[in-house]
Amino acid sequence: MKMMKGDSVKEMKKKPAVEVEIQIGGRAPGSSPIAEELNELEMEDEDTYATMAPKGTFTSRGLDPLVKNTNKLLVLFGQDPSYPKVMDTDKLPTDFTRILSMFVAAVDDAVDEGILNPEMKIDLSQIRDDAGLMSLSGKIEMLAKDREFKRFLQEDQKEEPAPEMEEEMAMSPEEEDAMLMERL
């Protein structure tokens, strides 16, 4: 809702919100079987990370350095390094657990390829308090500074072809010719 000249915040709160439903091809978004399946998959994914989330007593003493170092490492993954501060909690947020899981997978791959020492492996199930968070934070900080790990991540990103490229690479010569003729 646009605020007009002369409108106050109080007046804006009094005005009813206008809801607009967008329909594509005669269907509202989310009403197709594919959208329903996607929603189900997203909920399952959310449940998985919620179950994985470390549980314990976590305060700013352990959370603040962890978030700070997580943001440093996110840059190496090509992600926005602006994860917000996490308040004292008894369970890490699901979206934060998802990020940590991404780190776990990359570290596991790097250890398997001999890039990192096995001591750098991350086990989220062992984190129960601020000491565990600080230990994890230290590992993440070391990973963000590790030149070999940076190189490993960069090579990994270069090796993954874009989805469109995969489709083009999978075409037979006849299909390529047909596609080129369509473009002409």
Side-chain angles (χ1 to χ4, degrees), residues 90-114:
D90 59 352
K91 183 178 178 184
L92 291 184
T94 305
D95 56 336
F96 194 68
T97 303
R98 185 184 316 265
I99 292 168
L100 295 176
S101 296
M102 177 177 66
F103 295 168
V104 168
V107 168
D108 287 348
D109 290 347
V111 167
D112 291 346
E113 293 199 22

Side-chain angles (χ1 to χ4, degrees), residues 1-173:
M1 179 183 303
K2 268 189 174 175
M3 197 164 174
M4 304 300 274
K5 188 175 181 178
D7 284 349
S8 70
V9 175
K10 287 181 183 177
E11 289 172 352
M12 291 297 293
K13 289 181 181 177
K14 289 179 186 175
K15 293 180 182 177
V18 177
E19 290 187 31
V20 177
E21 184 175 311
I22 299 172
Q23 293 195 0
I24 301 171
R27 290 188 170 166
S31 66
S32 73
I34 293 172
E36 290 173 16
E37 187 176 337
L38 261 174
N39 286 337
E40 283 181 34
L41 290 172
E42 285 177 2
M43 288 173 56
E44 286 176 23
D45 192 48
E46 189 75 17
D47 290 343
T48 299
Y49 287 106
T51 302
M52 269 177 138
K55 296 162 191 70
T57 304
F58 307 122
T59 67
S60 61
R61 183 173 161 254
L63 290 165
D64 291 349
L66 179 60
V67 170
K68 178 183 170 191
N69 289 321
T70 294
N71 282 329
K72 287 179 185 177
L73 191 55
L74 277 172
V75 173
L76 300 182
F77 285 83
Q79 303 290 318
D80 181 23
S82 60
Y83 194 87
K85 181 178 180 176
V86 177
M87 304 309 287
D88 294 1
T89 185
D90 59 352
K91 183 178 178 184
L92 291 184
T94 305
D95 56 336
F96 194 68
T97 303
R98 185 184 316 265
I99 292 168
L100 295 176
S101 296
M102 177 177 66
F103 295 168
V104 168
V107 168
D108 287 348
D109 290 347
V111 167
D112 291 346
E113 293 199 22
I115 306 295
L116 291 174
N117 186 321
E119 293 175 2
M120 291 300 291
K121 281 200 169 215
I122 298 170
D123 184 0
L124 296 178
S125 69
Q126 298 301 311
I127 299 171
R128 294 186 176 85
D129 55 19
D130 284 343
L133 292 179
M134 287 187 280
S135 174
L136 175 58
S137 177
K139 283 183 179 182
I140 290 174
E141 183 176 29
M142 290 170 58
L143 291 168
K145 293 178 181 178
D146 189 297
R147 289 182 184 160
E148 292 298 315
F149 186 62
K150 286 180 188 180
R151 201 171 297 127
F152 170 77
L153 290 175
Q154 290 169 346
E155 289 172 6
D156 196 35
Q157 288 174 354
K158 288 178 187 174
E159 289 176 8
E160 294 179 16
E164 307 87 46
M165 297 283 290
E166 287 178 17
E167 289 174 17
E168 289 181 10
M169 293 162 71
M171 287 185 199
S172 70

